[in-house]
Amino acid sequence: MVTWGATVGKPTRHPLMLPGWLLAEVAEQVSDAVGDERAGEMTVRLLANIAATTIDLGEDGEETWAITGDIPAMWLRDSCLQLAPLLRLAPWYPELVDAAAGLLRRHWRMILTDPYANAFNRSPNGNRWDDDVPRQGPWVWERKWELDSLTFPLDLALRLDGLGCRDWLNTDFRNAVDAILTVAEVEQRHEAASPYRFARPGASASDTLTRAGRGPETRECGLVFQAFRPSDDACLFGFNIPGNAFFASTLRRLTPFLDGGRRARAEHLVAGIEDGIGFFGMIDEPEPHLAYEVDGMGGRLFMDDANLPSLLGLPYLGVLAVDDPVYLATRRRILSPANPCFVDGVRLRGVGSPHTPPGHVWPIAVAVAGLTATHGDERLASLRMLMNSTGGTGWMHEGVDADDPSNFTRPWFSWANAMFCELALEIASRPGADCGDPISRRR
């Protein structure tokens, strides 16, 4: 186990190096906003680690590569979120925008290689997590179909557009949008039309699909089927509500970049998803709130998993306002024993996941709770909880024992490190805090 302040990971071949003056400025302003020098020190150490050890700009600077940490593969979702806190610093250091645009240029190619895959290799070397059936192609590390894998790159593109960058807008982007729309249209009709199958021989139920690899049975209702949650665990019901809501919201904002045919397809998808959420994704008692998964046949599951997209994270993702009545009702249940993944321990309180051992809280979910809070005290409390969750390592982890933070999963999980930085920079960007001109996630 590493000690506080030790380096996690080795520098990449062509690392993204953050200048010392920028890190010093961030450290000072985060420390002032939080009232604790450790917060500033930890923020800049995690930012520098994300940039230097997981992000590789490539020899020509055209395509950025980003690993998730202790696994040598690139998740489409994770890599977008790893860059999220860095983009808040883009007004100070525009080179960060170029790195994100390079990541998207690679993402478009990967989506065109296999739009059902969630994680990829840097080259067609055939590396993979497991011997899944059917066997994935040589570029694919894992082929778990998760709708958010196609949504986060589109969301990142829109954020780059907000920063004045359209270097990601190329022919591959247009072709990738075609592939994304096609997959979503097919998976609206999963039972009748989907070619997707996934089986992991000998795996637990969370790592493989039922019905000979087809997954849980659903009925067509406008929602888009996905096989796995953002945790990479199999869905209990095939329509994941936060994943569908995030996809619809992102497509709606993307329409100005689409021509007539693509725009009409996107608008039709959005309408179907929103109707499906309104009719099947709501639970009326004890007060109207959102389900986590449904099947279009009356089956509904209330819970919330730690990973994004989550119900808790919908305001952070720009889907709902933090004061939306349905969101507030959903949030109250998420952060209570009504959510089977909620953990209230001696040291940590928040959302965990069936993906990790019982009694573990995910730092990602603690950060999301802070990012979607309406009161500054709650944001600060979340950050301080995270600062005390490292088990003496100084790094964020995947899941942490709520009673004993020295017991955790994944010593190097860059996405979790990034979410700590997101929360710290959000606190520093609030009125009364002087943090330059950071970029807000809210649109």
Side-chain angles (χ1 to χ4, degrees):
M1 191 170 291
V2 296
T3 57
W4 179 274
T7 299
V8 171
K10 297 180 179 179
T12 58
R13 287 176 292 175
H14 307 95
L16 174 61
M17 302 301 295
L18 301 177
W21 62 265
L22 176 60
L23 294 175
E25 182 73 13
V26 170
E28 179 181 354
Q29 299 198 21
V30 170
S31 296
D32 288 348
V34 178
D36 188 336
E37 288 187 1
R38 293 184 307 146
E41 180 276 332
M42 192 166 176
T43 302
V44 299
R45 179 164 46 79
L46 269 57
L47 284 170
N49 181 266
I50 293 164
T53 67
T54 68
I55 298 172
D56 191 327
L57 300 177
E59 189 171 1
D60 58 7
E62 277 298 305
E63 289 192 351
T64 303
W65 170 257
I67 62 171
T68 189
D70 51 17
I71 301 173
M74 180 182 73
W75 266 254
L76 295 175
R77 169 189 57 247
D78 295 28
S79 56
C80 290
L81 288 164
Q82 285 165 243
L83 282 167
L86 296 172
L87 287 180
R88 290 176 178 259
L89 309 179
W92 289 333
Y93 194 55
E95 287 86 344
L96 296 169
V97 173
D98 297 332
L103 182 73
L104 286 182
R105 288 192 290 269
R106 181 180 292 272
H107 278 191
W108 307 145
R109 286 201 305 109
M110 296 298 92
I111 289 169
L112 290 170
T113 298
D114 188 343
Y116 280 103
N118 58 321
F120 292 87
N121 298 312
R122 185 163 189 168
S123 63
N125 52 34
N127 291 342
R128 57 191 179 275
W129 178 261
D130 209 337
D131 294 327
D132 301 325
V133 180
R135 176 65 60 86
Q136 58 267 55
W139 283 100
V140 174
W141 171 266
E142 192 172 55
R143 196 172 188 261
K144 287 183 171 179
W145 161 231
E146 301 161 7
L147 181 58
D148 63 273
S149 294
L150 302 181
T151 311
F152 274 107
L154 300 178
D155 175 73
L156 179 56
L158 290 165
R159 290 193 296 152
L160 289 185
D161 181 65
L163 291 167
C165 172
R166 293 189 176 181
D167 291 346
W168 47 269
L169 188 58
N170 56 15
T171 299
D172 281 347
F173 162 74
R174 296 180 180 88
N175 291 336
V177 168
D178 284 336
I180 291 169
L181 295 176
T182 296
V183 167
E185 289 163 345
V186 167
E187 294 305 327
Q188 281 184 315
R189 303 174 57 246
H190 177 75
E191 294 296 322
S194 177
Y196 180 76
R197 302 290 185 272
F198 182 96
R200 182 165 288 174
S204 65
S206 66
D207 258 344
T208 192
L209 294 184
T210 58
R211 297 198 303 149
R214 296 179 69 189
E217 185 177 1
T218 56
R219 184 176 65 188
E220 185 176 334
C221 63
L223 295 168
V224 178
F225 175 94
Q226 67 179 63
F228 291 88
R229 298 169 180 166
S231 63
D232 298 338
D233 286 348
C235 293
L236 179 62
F237 296 117
F239 299 131
N240 180 272
I241 295 300
N244 270 267
F246 182 37
F247 182 65
S249 171
T250 303
L251 273 190
R252 183 180 295 280
R253 292 182 289 109
L254 189 73
T255 53
F257 295 92
L258 306 181
D259 59 22
R262 294 186 182 97
R263 179 178 298 184
R265 293 170 67 192
E267 290 173 344
H268 188 263
L269 275 164
V270 169
I273 291 169
E274 291 179 345
D275 286 348
I277 293 174
F279 194 81
F280 291 98
M282 294 293 300
I283 301 173
D284 293 332
E285 298 294 337
E287 56 184 332
H289 62 281
L290 288 165
Y292 184 72
E293 288 173 359
V294 301
D295 60 9
M297 299 182 290
R300 296 179 301 188
L301 170 67
F302 180 78
M303 58 167 282
D304 203 27
D305 209 336
N307 303 62
L308 289 169
S310 61
L311 295 174
L312 184 64
L314 291 179
Y316 171 73
L317 298 172
V319 179
L320 292 175
V322 292
D323 58 354
D324 182 283
V326 170
Y327 173 73
L328 291 174
T330 306
R331 181 187 180 92
R332 284 190 288 271
R333 292 181 60 78
I334 291 167
L335 300 177
S336 80
N339 176 13
C341 294
F342 177 75
V343 179
D344 192 357
V346 174
R347 301 285 297 277
L348 286 168
R349 182 178 188 272
V351 180
S353 172
H355 192 71
T356 47
H360 281 52
V361 170
W362 282 47
I364 285 174
V366 175
V368 170
L371 286 160
T372 55
T374 56
H375 299 291
D377 288 348
E378 188 176 350
R379 285 187 287 274
L380 286 170
S382 295
L383 190 74
R384 291 181 179 127
M385 191 185 302
L386 290 174
M387 292 170 63
N388 294 321
S389 75
T390 73
T393 69
W395 307 96
M396 296 293 99
H397 306 296
E398 180 188 48
V400 179
D401 189 319
D403 295 328
D404 179 11
S406 66
N407 181 22
F408 55 79
T409 63
R410 296 190 68 176
W412 182 25
F413 188 27
S414 186
W415 176 13
N417 289 332
M419 294 308 295
F420 175 94
C421 298
E422 275 281 86
L423 178 57
L425 293 175
E426 177 66 19
I427 290 170
S429 75
R430 290 280 166 167
D434 180 14
C435 193
D437 185 23
I439 303 302
S440 173
R441 281 286 317 189
R442 291 296 302 278
R443 299 171 183 85

